[in-house]
């Protein structure tokens, strides 16, 4: 049985909004997402508070979505500090294949057991 599935790789980067940055953001700062891993560049830094706002969205952005779904089209997320002008651009950069059996011990069809 083929137990493979695909997830998008993502790039998250700081881009300027219409107000100045208040937090410790710098344009271009960011990280990549590959499967369950966040990959920061050498010496990379990213705000804990901003990361906490982004984390719930990342697994959804990794998955295939309908062309009309807002998760497909919307890729700019505002900094959670209402006074900060930073935006976080989430870009789908590629597709990676995973196997269900490599990610969990739960069988695909638990009713069959």
């Amino acid at each position: 049985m083929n137990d493979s599935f695909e997830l998008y790789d993502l790039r998250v980067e700081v881009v300027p909004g219409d107000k100045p940055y208040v937090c410790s953001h710098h344009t271009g700062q960011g990280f990549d997402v590959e499967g369950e891993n966040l990959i920061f560049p050498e010496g990379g830094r990213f705000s804990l508070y901003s990361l906490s706002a982004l984390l719930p969205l990342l697994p959804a952005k990794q998955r295939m979505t309908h062309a009309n779904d807002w998760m497909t089209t919307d890729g700019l997320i505002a900094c959670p500090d209402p006074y900060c002008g930073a935006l976080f651009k989430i870009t789908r950069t590629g597709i990676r294949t995973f196997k269900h059996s490599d990610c969990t011990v739960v069988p695909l069809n638990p009713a069959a057991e």
Side-chain angles (χ1 to χ4, degrees), residues 32-81:
D32 294 314
V33 182
E34 294 178 0
E36 65 183 45
N37 297 304
L38 302 179
I39 302 166
F40 293 89
E42 184 80 26
R45 295 171 182 253
F46 201 85
S47 164
L48 174 66
Y49 305 110
S50 298
L51 184 59
S52 69
L54 289 166
L55 282 175
L57 301 174
L58 298 179
K61 286 296 278 187
Q62 285 184 294
R63 275 137 177 96
M64 309 299 162
T65 50
H66 190 279
N68 297 339
D69 188 331
W70 72 270
M71 191 57 74
T72 304
T73 59
D74 297 21
L76 289 176
I77 309 303
C79 178
D81 182 327

Side-chain angles (χ1 to χ4, degrees), residues 82-101:
Y83 300 105
C84 184
L87 299 174
F88 306 105
K89 182 178 178 184
I90 304 173
T91 306
R92 292 173 166 171
T93 59
I95 296 179
R96 192 173 300 267
T97 302
F98 297 88
K99 290 181 62 174
H100 180 272
S101 59

